[in-house]
Amino acid sequence: MTFDLARILESKRQHRRALAALPIEEKLRLLDDLRQRTLDLRGSQPAGNLILREEPAVYGAKKP
């Protein structure tokens, strides 16, 4: 994989232009697909695994 920034940016511009040129029905279909994908991903993992629990930092006091 190469990291040619100019090429990457031009590719993004082309992709944005192609998306902008789509008819509104196609854009709405893409949004529906993205929404469904998000819901599928959200439901694929138990919510308990996404919670980060951490002890708060103690400043100025020695830990026992």
Side-chain angles (χ1 to χ4, degrees):
M1 176 183 264
T2 61
F3 294 102
D4 183 359
L5 186 57
R7 200 167 139 205
I8 292 170
L9 292 175
E10 182 55 35
S11 173
K12 286 181 166 228
R13 281 186 207 102
Q14 288 176 356
H15 188 66
R16 287 185 190 121
R17 283 191 293 264
L19 288 173
L22 291 175
I24 190 71
E25 295 84 10
E26 183 66 15
K27 290 176 188 178
L28 292 173
R29 189 194 61 75
L30 288 171
L31 281 175
D32 287 341
D33 290 348
L34 287 172
R35 181 178 180 277
Q36 187 58 49
R37 183 184 209 180
T38 300
L39 293 174
D40 290 345
L41 288 172
R42 190 181 296 163
S44 68
Q45 296 178 351
N49 292 344
L50 302 175
I51 299 172
L52 175 65
R53 292 192 174 89
E54 189 173 302
E55 293 295 321
V58 179
Y59 298 102
K62 291 185 178 181
K63 290 184 180 180

